[in-house]
Amino acid sequence: MSSSPDLPHPERSEISLTGVLFALSDPERLAIARQLVDGPLDMAECHLSNPNVPKSTKSHLMKVLRTSGVVRNEANGRARRLSLRREDLDAKFPGLLDAVLSAET
Amino acid sequence: MSSSPDLPHPERSEISLTGVLFALSDPERLAIARQLVDGPLDMAECHLSNPNVPKSTKSHLMKVLRTSGVVRNEANGRARRLSLRREDLDAKFPGLLDAVLSAET
DNA sequence: TCAATGGTTCGAAGATTTTCAAACCATCGA
DNA sequence: TCGATGGTTTGAAAATCTTCGAACCATTGA
């Protein structure tokens, strides 16, 4: 049965604008968020620009995205399914996610 | 004549998305940006939530906003005129500024 | 049942940010 | 010309973030 640890996620009401902006202000984290626009991905399918970074670092990047409310991280077998919290973010900060993710870097 | 030191500003082409997001990811800096939506303000008219912070700290907050390209800081007599770089930001990152500044905190 | 897989967590070291006092600088008014 | 005003810069200390190895944990396949 399931599952790997259930990680804490902020409620929608707990998501702060500055927290979201901070999470997305790192190029690597922004790139991760962008990989999720077309739907959820298992963590292993989420690639960093530097493929050599250790898994603990990658996990930490995910933690910042999760605890800020940008990404949901759910157990999926022994993998982790990552998804953008688009509904929550669109509801709280209309237009923000679209603007950030569609902006040219 | 003029004027107080001419501070460096990034060209529009040098403004990075992550830099802008970072600058706005601090509550105090975000609050400053929001005070500029209705037009330029002299620095003395820009109030921090904590009115006791020393001027050097305030100056540093302004520097982060300036060097990231969010705000323009021009000499104005012995004051400093602050303005949002709305044209540049709207051109580079359509919808971003509106989304950030109109979001509820 | 055991080993490999795909992750998280912990702790420490390093890097970056933040904060502040002090020194400095140019402008304005008297 | 001089003092007050409105700011910037510098340097150092404190706080926060990032990175990474090591230990850990649950799931899957053999």
Side-chain angles (χ1 to χ4, degrees):
Chain A
M1 250 57 7
S2 53
S3 14
S4 300
D6 266 4
L7 302 174
H9 291 76
E11 300 286 332
R12 177 186 291 190
S13 67
E14 295 170 325
I15 300 177
S16 76
L17 176 59
T18 50
V20 168
L21 294 179
F22 179 79
L24 296 174
S25 73
D26 174 75
E28 207 73 73
R29 290 192 300 255
L30 177 60
I32 292 171
R34 286 187 156 148
Q35 294 177 54
L36 299 175
V37 290
D38 295 325
L41 243 44
D42 276 355
M43 190 155 163
E45 301 164 344
C46 247
H47 301 298
L48 302 183
S49 70
N50 174 0
N52 295 356
V53 352
K55 57 185 181 172
S56 58
T57 299
K58 187 175 178 183
S59 186
H60 178 70
L61 291 170
M62 295 303 179
K63 184 178 191 173
V64 175
L65 288 167
R66 171 175 54 82
T67 58
S68 68
V70 172
V71 152
R72 199 175 293 281
N73 178 340
E74 295 164 306
N76 179 32
R78 71 186 147 193
R80 289 266 149 196
R81 171 126 305 216
L82 305 170
S83 53
L84 266 185
R85 294 183 64 175
R86 178 173 276 289
E87 290 212 358
D88 291 323
L89 294 170
D90 283 353
K92 275 207 91 150
F93 313 121
L96 178 62
L97 205 54
D98 282 338
V100 170
L101 296 180
S102 73
E104 306 195 10
T105 56
Chain B
M1 259 119 310
S2 54
S3 2
S4 300
D6 267 3
L7 301 174
H9 290 76
E11 299 287 331
R12 176 186 291 190
S13 67
E14 294 169 325
I15 300 177
S16 77
L17 176 59
T18 50
V20 168
L21 294 178
F22 179 79
L24 296 173
S25 74
D26 174 76
E28 208 72 73
R29 290 193 299 257
L30 177 60
I32 292 171
R34 285 186 157 149
Q35 294 177 55
L36 299 176
V37 290
D38 295 324
L41 242 45
D42 276 355
M43 189 154 165
E45 302 163 343
C46 247
H47 301 298
L48 301 183
S49 70
N50 174 0
N52 296 355
V53 353
K55 57 183 181 172
S56 57
T57 299
K58 187 174 179 183
S59 187
H60 177 71
L61 291 171
M62 295 302 180
K63 184 178 190 173
V64 174
L65 287 167
R66 170 176 54 83
T67 58
S68 68
V70 172
V71 153
R72 199 175 294 280
N73 179 340
E74 296 164 307
N76 179 32
R78 69 185 146 191
R80 287 269 151 194
R81 172 123 306 213
L82 304 171
S83 53
L84 225 40
R85 294 184 63 175
R86 178 173 277 288
E87 290 213 356
D88 290 322
L89 294 170
D90 284 352
K92 276 208 91 152
F93 312 122
L96 179 62
L97 205 54
D98 282 337
V100 170
L101 298 180
S102 72
E104 306 194 10
T105 57

